[in-house]
Coordinates of all heavy atoms in Angstrom, one line a residue:
K1 N 108.6 101.7 90.8 CA 107.7 102.6 90.1 C 106.5 101.8 89.6 O 105.3 102.2 89.8 CB 108.4 103.1 88.9 CG 107.6 104.0 88.0 CD 108.4 104.5 86.8 CE 107.5 105.3 85.9 NZ 108.3 105.8 84.7
R2 N 106.7 100.6 89.1 CA 105.5 99.8 88.6 C 104.7 99.2 89.8 O 103.5 99.2 89.7 CB 106.0 98.7 87.7 CG 106.4 99.2 86.3 CD 106.7 98.2 85.3 NE 106.8 98.7 84.0 CZ 107.9 99.3 83.6 NH1 109.0 99.5 84.4 NH2 108.0 99.8 82.3
L3 N 105.3 98.8 90.8 CA 104.6 98.3 92.0 C 103.7 99.4 92.6 O 102.5 99.2 92.8 CB 105.5 97.7 93.0 CG 104.8 97.2 94.3 CD1 103.8 96.1 94.0 CD2 105.8 96.7 95.3
R4 N 104.3 100.6 92.7 CA 103.5 101.7 93.2 C 102.3 102.0 92.3 O 101.2 102.2 92.8 CB 104.4 102.9 93.4 CG 103.6 104.2 93.9 CD 104.5 105.4 94.0 NE 105.4 105.2 95.1 CZ 106.7 105.3 95.1 NH1 107.3 105.5 94.0 NH2 107.4 105.1 96.2
Q5 N 102.5 102.0 91.0 CA 101.5 102.4 90.1 C 100.4 101.3 90.1 O 99.2 101.7 90.1 CB 102.0 102.5 88.7 CG 101.0 103.1 87.7 CD 100.6 104.5 88.1 OE1 101.4 105.3 88.3 NE2 99.3 104.7 88.2
I6 N 100.7 100.1 90.2 CA 99.7 99.0 90.2 C 98.9 99.1 91.5 O 97.7 99.1 91.5 CB 100.4 97.6 90.2 CG1 101.0 97.4 88.8 CG2 99.5 96.5 90.6 CD1 101.9 96.2 88.7
L7 N 99.6 99.3 92.6 CA 98.8 99.4 93.9 C 97.9 100.6 93.9 O 96.8 100.6 94.4 CB 99.8 99.4 95.1 CG 100.5 98.1 95.4 CD1 101.5 98.3 96.5 CD2 99.5 97.0 95.8
L8 N 98.4 101.8 93.4 CA 97.6 103.0 93.4 C 96.4 102.8 92.5 O 95.3 103.2 92.8 CB 98.4 104.2 92.9 CG 99.4 104.7 94.0 CD1 100.3 105.8 93.3 CD2 98.7 105.3 95.2
N9 N 96.6 102.2 91.3 CA 95.5 101.9 90.4 C 94.4 101.0 91.0 O 93.2 101.3 91.0 CB 95.9 101.3 89.1 CG 96.6 102.3 88.2 OD1 96.7 103.5 88.4 ND2 97.2 101.8 87.1
L10 N 94.9 99.9 91.6 CA 93.9 99.0 92.2 C 93.1 99.7 93.4 O 91.9 99.5 93.5 CB 94.6 97.7 92.7 CG 95.1 96.8 91.6 CD1 96.0 95.7 92.2 CD2 94.0 96.2 90.8
L11 N 93.9 100.4 94.3 CA 93.2 101.0 95.4 C 92.3 102.1 94.9 O 91.2 102.3 95.5 CB 94.3 101.5 96.4 CG 95.0 100.4 97.2 CD1 96.3 101.0 97.8 CD2 94.1 99.8 98.2
S12 N 92.7 102.9 94.0 CA 91.9 104.0 93.5 C 90.6 103.4 92.8 O 89.5 104.0 93.0 CB 92.6 104.8 92.4 OG 93.7 105.5 93.0
N13 N 90.7 102.3 92.1 CA 89.5 101.7 91.5 C 88.6 101.2 92.6 O 87.4 101.3 92.5 CB 89.9 100.6 90.6 CG 90.4 101.1 89.2 OD1 90.1 102.3 88.9 ND2 91.0 100.3 88.5
A14 N 89.2 100.6 93.6 CA 88.4 100.1 94.7 C 87.6 101.2 95.4 O 86.4 101.1 95.7 CB 89.2 99.4 95.8
I15 N 88.2 102.4 95.6 CA 87.5 103.5 96.2 C 86.5 104.1 95.2 O 85.4 104.4 95.6 CB 88.6 104.6 96.6 CG1 89.4 104.1 97.7 CG2 87.9 105.9 96.9 CD1 90.6 104.9 98.0
K16 N 86.9 104.2 93.9 CA 86.0 104.8 92.9 C 84.7 103.9 92.8 O 83.6 104.5 92.6 CB 86.7 104.8 91.6 CG 86.0 105.5 90.5 CD 86.7 105.5 89.2 CE 88.2 105.7 89.2 NZ 88.9 105.6 87.9
F17 N 84.8 102.6 92.9 CA 83.6 101.8 92.6 C 83.0 101.2 93.9 O 82.2 100.2 93.8 CB 84.0 100.7 91.6 CG 84.3 101.2 90.3 CD1 85.6 101.2 89.8 CD2 83.4 101.7 89.4 CE1 86.0 101.8 88.6 CE2 83.7 102.3 88.2 CZ 85.0 102.3 87.8
T18 N 83.3 101.7 95.0 CA 82.7 101.3 96.3 C 81.8 102.4 96.8 O 82.4 103.4 97.3 CB 83.8 100.9 97.3 OG1 84.6 99.9 96.8 CG2 83.2 100.4 98.6
P19 N 80.5 102.3 96.7 CA 79.6 103.4 97.2 C 79.6 103.6 98.7 O 79.4 104.7 99.1 CB 78.3 103.0 96.6 CG 78.3 101.5 96.4 CD 79.8 101.1 96.2
A20 N 79.9 102.6 99.4 CA 79.8 102.7 100.9 C 80.6 101.5 101.5 O 80.7 100.5 100.9 CB 78.4 102.7 101.4
G21 N 81.1 101.8 102.7 CA 81.8 100.7 103.4 C 83.3 100.9 103.6 O 83.8 101.9 104.0
T22 N 84.0 99.8 103.2 CA 85.5 99.8 103.5 C 86.3 99.3 102.3 O 85.9 98.4 101.5 CB 85.7 98.7 104.6 OG1 84.9 99.1 105.7 CG2 87.1 98.7 105.1
V23 N 87.5 99.9 102.2 CA 88.5 99.4 101.3 C 89.7 98.9 102.1 O 90.1 99.6 103.1 CB 89.0 100.5 100.3 CG1 90.2 100.0 99.5 CG2 87.8 100.9 99.4
T24 N 90.2 97.7 101.9 CA 91.3 97.2 102.7 C 92.5 96.7 101.9 O 92.3 96.2 100.8 CB 90.7 95.9 103.4 OG1 89.6 96.3 104.2 CG2 91.8 95.3 104.4
L25 N 93.7 97.1 102.4 CA 94.9 96.6 101.8 C 95.6 95.7 102.8 O 95.9 96.2 103.9 CB 95.8 97.8 101.4 CG 97.3 97.4 101.0 CD1 97.3 96.5 99.8 CD2 98.1 98.7 100.8
D26 N 95.8 94.5 102.5 CA 96.5 93.5 103.4 C 97.8 93.1 102.8 O 97.9 92.8 101.6 CB 95.7 92.2 103.6 CG 94.4 92.5 104.4 OD1 94.5 93.1 105.5 OD2 93.3 92.0 104.0
L27 N 98.9 93.2 103.6 CA 100.2 92.8 103.1 C 100.6 91.6 104.0 O 100.6 91.7 105.2 CB 101.2 93.9 103.2 CG 102.7 93.6 103.1 CD1 103.0 93.0 101.7 CD2 103.5 94.8 103.3
T28 N 101.0 90.5 103.3 CA 101.6 89.4 104.0 C 103.0 89.2 103.4 O 103.2 89.5 102.2 CB 100.8 88.1 103.9 OG1 100.6 87.8 102.6 CG2 99.4 88.3 104.6
Y29 N 103.9 88.6 104.2 CA 105.3 88.3 103.7 C 105.8 87.0 104.3 O 105.7 86.9 105.5 CB 106.2 89.5 104.1 CG 107.6 89.4 103.6 CD1 107.9 89.7 102.3 CD2 108.6 88.8 104.4 CE1 109.2 89.6 101.8 CE2 109.9 88.6 103.9 CZ 110.2 89.0 102.6 OH 111.4 88.9 102.1
R30 N 106.2 86.1 103.5 CA 106.7 84.9 103.9 C 107.7 84.3 102.9 O 107.3 84.3 101.7 CB 105.6 83.9 104.2 CG 106.0 82.6 104.8 CD 104.8 81.7 105.1 NE 105.3 80.5 105.7 CZ 104.7 79.3 105.5 NH1 103.6 79.3 104.9 NH2 105.3 78.2 106.0

């Protein structure tokens, strides 16, 4: 629940405050 909320908030803010271009989510695992 918390991980989903954090990711949604960060991605939504990236979209909200980016007037043009790209928003990227990169996942790495090691």
Side-chain angles (χ1 to χ4, degrees):
K1 180 180 174 183
R2 284 191 172 76
L3 177 60
R4 178 180 286 121
Q5 189 63 52
I6 290 166
L7 290 173
L8 286 175
N9 285 355
L10 290 171
L11 288 164
S12 293
N13 283 343
I15 291 167
K16 189 185 315 182
F17 295 107
T18 301
T22 305
V23 172
T24 303
L25 170 60
D26 291 310
L27 168 60
T28 58
Y29 183 84
R30 182 174 180 214

